[in-house]
Amino acid sequence: MIAGGSVRINGTSVRELGTLVNAGDRVEVAGVPVELPAAPTYLIFNKPLGVVTTMRDPHGRRSIADFLVDRPRVFPVGRLDYDTAGLLFLTDDGELAHRLLHPSFGVDKTYRAAIAGRLSSDDVRRLLAGLVMNDGRAAGTRVRVLAVRRDRSLVDVTIHEGRNRQVRRMFETLNHPVLELTRTRFGPLNLGALPPGRIRELTGKEIEALRRHRRPPDESPRTTPPEVMQ
Ligand code: URA
């Protein structure tokens, strides 16, 4: 096409093979501009409570779209309940999203749960061994107890699956209803100190870590020796 004279750079026809272009140069082939696909966007959003993880809510509730007005192309990878806060990963990289969402992949996600009542070591053992719920067994792969009081306990729990209201239902099965729930980690991504309602771009390192992320073979559910801190 170059030799045939149908390629123009900044309006000038070029015939030399190997001609280099710079960012910002306008390249046309037979009069049609050549557009490079925009680089994908990768974002972390700290979803506040009271926001639905959809682009639109038929009931008029606040949705994540209200926070993404200047980022119309991204979509959430996974979802958080209306009454759950914390880390949502958003992107327009469909291939990566598809891989991360595939059930066989099972990205590990950590939730910080404030629960009613005193969590016992037997509760922790049951969490790790797997609880029978109405849609099958569910287990945490890591449990870290941060505080235990008579009326309230604070615990970090990591799961690989993402069944509907899974963490809440796991604690309900243990008779410790969840009072507050925040997702603090999604695979290699950490919420850190990002305030609720704020969005930030991933760093190059985080994008790389996400692309390379694999569930560690020794973290398959129910086979892991429990990591319990009390
Ligand atoms: N588990 C829940 O119960 N709720 C969420 O939003 C995510 C995981």
Side-chain angles (χ1 to χ4, degrees):
M1 285 187 284
I2 293 172
S6 53
V7 176
R8 288 153 78 95
I9 300 175
N10 299 325
T12 308
S13 172
V14 287
R15 284 179 182 262
E16 195 183 330
L17 297 178
T19 301
L20 297 175
V21 292
N22 296 307
D25 282 346
R26 199 161 34 83
V27 180
E28 288 163 273
V29 176
V32 179
V34 175
E35 306 273 359
L36 286 179
T41 303
Y42 302 97
L43 305 171
I44 284 180
F45 174 43
N46 186 349
K47 184 185 97 60
L49 294 175
V51 173
V52 287
T53 311
T54 53
M55 294 317 247
R56 226 175 150 172
D57 183 51
H59 307 292
R61 294 175 297 183
R62 278 207 300 171
S63 83
I64 57 168
D66 297 335
F67 298 84
L68 295 167
V69 277
D70 51 349
R71 317 262 195 183
R73 289 169 45 215
V74 296
F75 52 87
V77 180
R79 56 182 292 277
L80 291 175
D81 296 336
Y82 181 71
D83 45 1
T84 301
L87 195 165
L88 258 189
F89 168 55
L90 301 141
T91 187
D92 51 6
D93 181 341
E95 208 177 301
L96 180 68
H98 180 74
R99 192 162 67 85
L100 293 174
L101 285 174
H102 198 275
S104 68
F105 193 78
V107 179
D108 44 335
K109 296 160 277 264
T110 302
Y111 295 85
R112 180 154 295 180
I115 57 171
R118 178 187 288 277
L119 191 78
S120 67
S121 43
D122 189 50
D123 291 326
V124 173
R125 192 190 51 71
R126 289 180 63 200
L127 262 178
L128 290 162
L131 300 161
V132 179
M133 305 199 303
N134 56 12
D135 58 352
R137 271 170 97 84
T141 54
R142 298 179 81 200
V143 175
R144 190 163 169 243
V145 182
L146 302 168
V148 177
R149 290 203 326 228
R150 192 178 52 78
D151 59 333
R152 185 182 166 105
S153 306
L154 193 64
V155 56
D156 282 346
V157 59
T158 300
I159 58 172
H160 285 314
E161 305 154 293
R163 286 190 246 164
N164 192 26
R165 298 180 78 79
Q166 179 168 341
V167 175
R168 285 171 206 278
R169 290 190 294 126
M170 286 167 75
F171 283 108
E172 262 157 36
T173 307
L174 293 171
N175 288 321
H176 293 292
V178 167
L179 307 172
E180 288 161 32
L181 192 62
T182 305
R183 180 151 75 191
T184 56
R185 193 170 67 85
F186 179 84
L189 307 180
N190 284 295
L191 185 60
L194 189 69
R198 298 295 289 271
I199 295 173
R200 73 164 174 85
E201 307 249 353
L202 262 59
T203 63
K205 267 192 177 161
E206 286 174 320
I207 298 169
E208 255 323 288
L210 210 48
R211 289 211 179 105
R212 283 199 317 266
H213 189 67
R214 292 269 179 284
R215 180 162 96 192
D218 63 346
E219 267 207 359
S220 52
R222 296 195 291 276
T223 57
T224 318
E227 180 196 309
V228 182
M229 291 173 42
Q230 273 187 317

